[in-house]
Each structure stands twice: as structure tokens, then as C-alpha cells.
Amino acid sequence: MMLDNLLAPLRHLGHSSINAIWKLGMMSRFLLAILAHSGQSLLRFQLTIREVYFAGVLSLIIIVVSGLFVGMVLGLQGYNTLSRFGSADALGALVALSLLRELGPVLAALLFASRSGSAMTAEIGLMKATEQLEAMSVMAVDPVARVVAPRFWAGVISMPILAALFNVMGIFGGYLVGVVMIGLDEGTFWSQMQNNVDLHSDVINGLIKSLFFGIAVTLIAVFEGFDATPTAAGVSSATTRTVVTSALVILALDFVLTAFMF
Amino acid sequence: MKRSIIDLWVGIFVAIGLASVTFLALKVANLTPQGDNNSYTLIAEFDNIGGLKVKAPVKSSGVVVGRVSNIELDTQRYVARATLTLNDQYHFSRDTSAEILTAGLLGEQYVGLVQGGEEENLKPGDRVQLTSSALVLEQLIGKFMTSFAEGNNKAAAADAAAAETAP
């Protein structure tokens, strides 16, 4: 009895580890199932286009506005720090490099996870709770092919586009603060940027990052929706899990990708 | 939501994405199509290149005329060999000198070319004959310290001599 009490925390730890690994395995199998059913959903591309509209187009506003403000803040803070060392000329390079390499892909992915990922989870979870997915199966329509795969591909397509747009808006924000507001020389701003930004190692690598984030976020979102307990409380906790897990995975994945790339 | 409206919006969305990537490639990363025919290379050998890096600018009278495309150590003579890729519209005489300079106090290092007086120009692949190395701060301080110490010794010797002659 005494021993049982002592071992309880260990048992708890073991249980949650097994659960985590089990979930990881389920998620990998789910990814394989999505890929296996992708052919069908790519043939009926209209479904994917519809989901691109809901996941990508409707995220435009939040991406544009946050990108602009992040760029403006970078411009202000960067100018304050750089001008102490007499190198305010490098502001363009600072803004562009921090956005392209880290902030653009990461922040766009975080916004995408909370805006579109949570919506996907809630939608699929509610479909499950109201037994729509089972109804599809009864009608010999595979819910993975009809519901999940189009959403997955829509997320994978939308994420790099949103990240690129975030970068552009951020650089424009930095330009607004640096050149229009503070009055740095416009030519120096752009030429410093162009001298220090490399197409392959900065622009392309940033987009590759956002592609990985797109895959991770959308996979988590559709899996949590599909895996949700079919009750109101289950759907709500699945939505929360999507946002939390996505945020953690994005940041961890960012570290790994950065270590590999730069 | 009508299908045609969704199609239109997704089309706009993808077009915005393509425009963003193009903007990042052309305006931010300055991807300009660069054929090999509008540039040529020169070799410059330095005893010490300091903090010179690949892609550092090559300037003449402050105008960027090319970039450092490669830096390697010549293991025969142990000097640094920098390959300079210059724009084809700029040519320099055979007695041009190359030096490694620093932009500002803490700025990046670049290669400065000073045009000589000879009629004949350097041909692609030629070696720049006159070069001067980068200033390395430690060596500079070292030299200063030695000359300062020598100066002190001389002054002390002069003092001693003066003390001897005086009764």
C-alpha cells in the first residue's frame, strides 16, 4: 500500500509518456492516411480552393495588420539601438533579416494557428459531435478524403503565401518608420538591405520554414478535430489543444530548422 | 458564398503571394540576373586580409565596381588570395594597387582599387601587383607600444646623459 502510493507519481509519468508517444504515432498514421487520400481530393480541387478561401483569404487582414505593426516596431526599436552605435544606416538590413529569417515565418504561423487552425479543429470536431463524419462513412464517402485532406492541403498552400505577405508588410512597416517618419535616407535603407539579404539563405530558407510550419499546424489542427471527444466540452478542449500544441511545435521546430539552415 | 466569388478571392490571394515572393526576391534580396559575360575576375594577394569576407564590395574612389567572389589561402606561399569579380564596364591599368580598407570605425571591410598610370589594362584573370594588407588592430597597438617604449628608453638615456654632464 505504502509502495503503491510512492509509485503513483512514476506511474502517472509513465502513463502520460505512453499517451504522448501513442498520440505521435496516431498523428503520423493520420498524416499517411491524408497523403494516401490526397489524390482524390486533388482531383476535386474545388474542395481545396474553398478551404484556401476560409483558411488563407480570410486570414489576410490579420496578417497584413500584424505584419505592418511588427515591422514598424522593429523600425523604431532597431533605430533606437542602432543609432547609439552610429549605424542607423543598417536599419533596412536589420528589419529585413529579422523578418525574413525568424519573425515572418514564426509570427505568421502563430497567427495562422490561432486564426485558422482553431477554426479547422472546431469545425471538424463539431462535424464529429453531430455525427456528420459517420453519416459520410455510411454514404461511402471517406471523411478523410472529403473533409480532412482538402483542409490539410489548403493550410500547406496558404502558409508560405501568408508568411511572404507578412514579410513584405513588415518591411513596408520598417520603411514607413525608418524613412518616412524618422527620415533616414531611402537609398541607403534599400541598398543596405539588398547588400545583406541573400536570396537563397534568407528568402528561400524563410519560405521553407513556413512550409514546414504550415504542414505542422494544419496536421495538428485536423488531427485534434478528428480526435476530439464528440461533446461540446471535448470540442472546446480540442480547440485549446490545437492552439497550445501548435505554438509549442512551431517554436521548437523553428529552433531545429534554424540549427539546420543557418 | 458563390463558387465564382471564392475562386476570384483565392486567385487574388495566390497572386498576392506570388507578388510578395517576387518583391522579396527582386527588391529585398536584389536578385539581378547576372551572366558571366558582363563581369571579369582579377586576383589580388594579400599578406593579411583581416576581416575581409566573400561578397565584400570592391570600390574605386568609393564607387562599387565589383565584389570579392572567393578567398583562399595559397598554400605554396602562405598568402591570402582574393578573387575579385569586377563589372565589365570598369577596367584598370596594370599598375593598379589594391588595399583593404574599412568603412567607418566599425564598418565592414572592403577592397579599394587605386588606378595607376600605365596605358595597358589588366586582363581578366591577371594578378594585381601592388597590394597592401588590412590593418589589424593588435599589430597596430603592438607597433605603437614598441615605438613608445623605445621613445621612453631614449628619453631616459638622454636624461641620464644630462645628469652625468651636470656636476
Side-chain angles (χ1 to χ4, degrees):
Chain A
M1 192 61 198
M2 180 76 177
L3 195 67
D4 249 20
N5 280 341
L6 278 176
L7 290 181
L10 275 179
R11 202 175 297 126
H12 192 71
L13 183 68
H15 182 74
S16 39
S17 311
I18 291 174
N19 253 358
I21 295 171
W22 180 81
K23 207 160 189 183
L24 198 66
M26 279 302 283
M27 210 177 261
S28 324
R29 290 179 56 184
F30 196 62
L31 178 62
L32 286 182
I34 292 175
L35 293 180
H37 288 98
S38 290
Q40 228 170 318
S41 77
L42 290 180
L43 278 181
R44 296 180 62 192
F45 201 61
Q46 199 57 42
L47 288 174
T48 311
I49 287 183
R50 201 181 146 78
E51 296 307 326
V52 170
Y53 178 81
F54 287 115
V57 177
L58 294 183
S59 308
L60 278 178
I61 302 286
I62 191 174
I63 290 288
V64 166
V65 174
S66 0
L68 197 62
F69 277 102
V70 166
M72 280 159 61
V73 168
L74 268 180
L76 275 179
Q77 292 284 20
Y79 177 77
N80 274 341
T81 312
L82 287 175
S83 61
R84 278 188 218 171
F85 302 101
S87 40
D89 286 346
L91 186 67
L94 176 104
V95 171
L97 282 179
S98 23
L99 276 167
L100 288 170
R101 291 184 154 204
E102 295 296 335
L103 291 177
V106 171
L107 289 182
L110 289 174
L111 290 171
F112 182 75
S114 27
R115 161 73 187 66
S116 305
S118 58
M120 280 182 199
T121 308
E123 200 182 357
I124 298 177
L126 210 62
M127 280 183 175
K128 193 180 174 188
T130 53
E131 296 176 340
Q132 292 182 46
L133 296 183
E134 280 168 29
M136 278 182 192
S137 303
V138 168
M139 291 187 290
V141 175
D142 189 337
V144 174
R146 178 66 175 77
V147 173
V148 176
R151 284 175 174 72
F152 176 76
W153 285 111
V156 174
I157 294 169
S158 304
M159 193 63 253
I161 297 180
L162 292 174
L165 182 64
F166 190 96
N167 287 336
V168 171
M169 290 318 293
I171 288 167
F172 180 62
Y175 169 83
L176 280 185
V177 167
V179 178
V180 178
M181 206 176 102
I182 296 175
L184 293 175
D185 181 51
E186 181 168 353
T188 324
F189 184 86
W190 290 112
S191 69
Q192 277 282 335
M193 194 185 290
Q194 290 167 355
N195 282 340
N196 289 296
V197 175
D198 185 63
L199 178 72
H200 179 74
S201 80
D202 300 321
V203 178
I204 305 279
N205 273 355
L207 289 180
I208 292 175
K209 258 187 185 180
S210 66
L211 188 67
F212 274 98
F213 294 160
I215 295 173
V217 169
T218 330
L219 180 62
I220 290 170
V222 292
F223 177 76
E224 291 290 357
F226 210 75
D227 190 46
T229 320
T231 58
V235 174
S236 113
S237 76
T239 313
T240 311
R241 270 206 306 278
T242 296
V243 177
V244 174
T245 320
S246 299
L248 291 177
V249 167
I250 288 165
L251 295 173
L253 201 59
D254 183 45
F255 174 75
V256 175
L257 288 173
T258 305
F260 270 107
M261 283 172 174
F262 302 112
Chain B
M1 187 66 96
K2 271 224 219 75
R3 181 172 159 167
S4 58
I5 296 175
I6 287 183
D7 281 358
L8 175 66
W9 271 108
V10 172
I12 294 173
F13 178 64
V14 174
I16 288 175
L18 291 179
S20 306
V21 174
T22 318
F23 173 82
L24 292 177
L26 293 181
K27 183 80 182 173
V28 177
N30 200 17
L31 171 78
T32 40
Q34 215 167 32
D36 287 329
N37 49 359
N38 57 8
S39 65
Y40 67 104
T41 58
L42 294 178
I43 308 287
E45 290 174 340
F46 298 96
D47 290 332
N48 190 336
I49 56 162
L52 190 71
K53 290 187 179 61
V54 174
K55 290 185 89 177
V58 178
K59 296 182 182 179
S60 181
S61 309
V63 180
V64 177
V65 295
R67 302 219 166 260
V68 177
S69 53
N70 189 28
I71 295 174
E72 58 191 0
L73 185 67
D74 179 353
T75 46
Q76 297 291 315
R77 298 187 296 127
Y78 284 90
V79 292
R81 179 203 296 266
T83 310
L84 316 177
T85 303
L86 301 185
N87 195 317
D88 210 22
Q89 56 177 308
Y90 302 115
H91 285 277
F92 294 91
S93 69
R94 287 176 59 83
D95 57 346
T96 294
S97 66
E99 49 191 345
I100 296 178
L101 302 167
T102 309
L105 192 59
L106 297 168
E108 55 171 2
Q109 290 192 302
Y110 64 94
V111 176
L113 292 179
V114 180
Q115 169 77 336
E118 237 175 84
E119 291 280 303
E120 212 175 324
N121 279 339
L122 282 166
K123 283 187 285 295
D126 276 358
R127 196 160 62 88
V128 179
Q129 302 289 336
L130 298 167
T131 62
S132 60
S133 295
L135 283 180
V136 179
L137 202 59
E138 286 86 347
Q139 292 177 355
L140 207 65
I141 292 174
K143 273 182 197 158
F144 174 73
M145 293 296 274
T146 358
S147 62
F148 186 68
E150 275 171 8
N152 268 359
N153 285 346
K154 272 181 199 159
D159 280 351
E164 265 176 32
T165 48

